[in-house]
Amino acid sequence: MVQILLKTAESEPGSQSARLGRRLRTWRVMAPAVFLLSLVLTPRIAVPRPRSQPAGPATVPELGLEGGRKLRYEGSISSEKEVRTRHTFLSRLVDAVAGEPEYHALVTPYGVVTDSQGRIIVTDPGAAGVHIFDFAQHKYKFISRHRDTDGLEAPQCVAVDADDNIYVTDSYSGKIFLFDANGRFQRVIGSIKGEGYFKRATGIAVDPQTRRIYVTDTLRNQIWVLDQEGHILQKIGWNGTGEGEFNYPTELRLIGQSLYVVDAMNFRVQVLDLSGRFQYSVGQIGDGVGQLFRPKGIGVDSEGHLYIVEGLSGLVQVFDRQGQLLYYFGAKDSGFGEFKLPAGLFIDRDDRLYVVDSFNRRIQVFQYFAQGKQ
């Protein structure tokens, strides 16, 4: 018997997942007929599959996976309003009298990361700045820097260090902007008399122990390793298709002692050690399920599974270390669990996934439950 997953999993009261779920916009099931119609017209609802086949795609709130694992949709973030809104009598009264205030909103979000405080940090080249959403404190901050020299123009990717300092690459100016944990500007890395020395700074990661900075220079087909003063310690790779060679590298993630690199035009993700030695790669060219054509953001969950955003199809595909597709979710649309031109992806230490749904101007949030952690 085929069983369709349509249920909503209730979060435990007081849990971090429940608190986030209450603050984010949550989905609503209007009527069972809606799902029946969707099943007939657009067969994208997840059903159990044989063990030899990956599960997916899914656009329902919960996707049941092999071994008792599951992935649950939790909500989305699109503006300052979600984090600041407190539905008290006084706030509703003020809004009724004075009108609802204007809120900062995502324009064309690209990169995302969370820090040790659970704040969600999003780069937005369309707004020429960085959004910081702090749901625990009901606070929001927008970082921008308008200057004739060393101004923030096209923030691309973002990383944080062990002290929650924020590092932002600017793909247009070819620089790295450093802000402290409160969003105050500290300095520019990679600026020589106002000129950036990266041709196109894109992905960025910071080693929490050594504080070394890893940056992809996409147009040079290299990864540069810098110290905190911006001195170049090492250059990794060159143009090519072999192991440890790149063709337009973009996103970076540093997980443990491994560096994950989106090798975009070689249609793969390469995994290196911190000295730049090749370990393995995942992906092959194609526009079908289990293949890569426009790889974007990446992340790794607590079980070591690699998540890759596929920008062309609007899917997130999940692979094991051997490159075997485990499951995938999403679709090219605007509903919950669907994406239009998805970009960045981040997985926090609690296996919460943040997917940048760029054209839909939002961040979609999912919770992954590993085996034995339901």
Side-chain angles (χ1 to χ4, degrees), residues 68-195:
R69 301 172 178 88
K70 62 183 177 182
L71 182 76
R72 185 177 69 205
Y73 170 84
E74 295 219 322
S76 66
I77 309 166
S78 60
S79 78
E80 176 187 0
K81 181 178 181 179
E82 281 97 353
V83 71
R84 287 203 184 275
T85 300
R86 297 188 184 187
H87 296 291
T88 64
F89 172 77
L90 181 59
S91 67
R92 290 195 297 268
L93 180 61
V94 170
D95 288 349
V97 174
E100 192 174 49
E102 292 186 5
Y103 296 102
H104 284 88
L106 300 178
V107 181
T108 52
Y110 189 87
V112 62
V113 73
T114 65
D115 65 10
S116 67
Q117 304 172 61
R119 300 182 304 174
I120 304 166
I121 304 167
V122 183
T123 58
D124 192 339
V130 179
H131 308 265
I132 302 176
F133 299 93
D134 187 345
F135 283 93
Q137 300 298 323
H138 293 278
K139 292 181 179 180
Y140 167 88
K141 188 163 190 173
F142 181 74
I143 301 173
S144 61
R145 179 173 167 80
H146 302 291
R147 297 287 189 280
D148 292 335
T149 301
D150 290 338
L152 184 62
E153 300 180 66
Q156 195 81 4
C157 295
V158 59
V160 295
D161 63 18
D163 298 319
D164 289 338
N165 295 307
I166 302 167
Y167 300 72
V168 179
T169 56
D170 189 317
S171 61
Y172 182 81
S173 68
K175 304 169 188 175
I176 301 168
F177 289 79
L178 176 60
F179 303 88
D180 69 13
N182 295 314
R184 291 188 293 261
F185 174 75
Q186 299 299 296
R187 64 182 182 275
V188 174
I189 300 173
S191 177
I192 303 175
K193 296 181 179 180
E195 295 293 326

Side-chain angles (χ1 to χ4, degrees), residues 187-338:
R187 64 182 182 275
V188 174
I189 300 173
S191 177
I192 303 175
K193 296 181 179 180
E195 295 293 326
Y197 56 62
F198 298 101
K199 284 188 176 181
R200 180 172 294 170
T202 308
I204 187 166
V206 183
D207 188 321
Q209 277 76 45
T210 66
R211 300 190 71 197
R212 288 185 172 184
I213 305 167
Y214 295 79
V215 185
T216 53
D217 193 331
T218 300
L219 297 184
R220 283 194 173 100
N221 295 296
Q222 289 182 320
I223 300 169
W224 288 18
V225 186
L226 314 173
D227 64 16
Q228 284 289 315
E229 285 67 47
H231 301 132
I232 302 170
L233 304 177
Q234 184 182 1
K235 295 181 181 180
I236 300 172
W238 52 84
N239 185 233
T241 60
E243 296 179 352
E245 299 174 344
F246 305 110
N247 192 10
Y248 290 92
T250 55
E251 294 268 2
L252 281 179
R253 283 283 179 251
L254 197 162
I255 311 292
Q257 297 299 303
S258 295
L259 195 63
Y260 293 75
V261 187
V262 175
D263 189 7
M265 296 309 293
N266 281 328
F267 312 100
R268 63 186 178 182
V269 174
Q270 293 199 65
V271 184
L272 315 174
D273 66 18
L274 296 187
S275 68
R277 286 191 295 267
F278 175 84
Q279 294 182 326
Y280 64 94
S281 67
V282 171
Q284 58 182 346
I285 185 173
D287 59 2
V289 172
Q291 299 174 318
L292 302 179
F293 196 73
R294 288 290 181 268
K296 296 289 186 179
I298 51 174
V300 178
D301 68 22
S302 62
E303 296 183 304
H305 303 146
L306 174 63
Y307 294 63
I308 306 176
V309 172
E310 175 50 57
L312 178 68
S313 60
L315 296 179
V316 177
Q317 304 190 97
V318 186
F319 298 86
D320 63 16
R321 185 186 175 100
Q322 289 71 42
Q324 176 71 35
L325 178 68
L326 301 176
Y327 69 98
Y328 57 101
F329 62 97
K332 190 184 289 187
D333 214 329
S334 302
F336 57 77
E338 299 174 335

Side-chain angles (χ1 to χ4, degrees), residues 4 6 29 31-43 45 60:
I4 300 172
L6 296 177
V29 176
V34 174
F35 287 101
L36 294 175
L37 182 62
S38 177
L39 179 61
V40 173
L41 298 180
T42 55
I45 294 179
V60 293

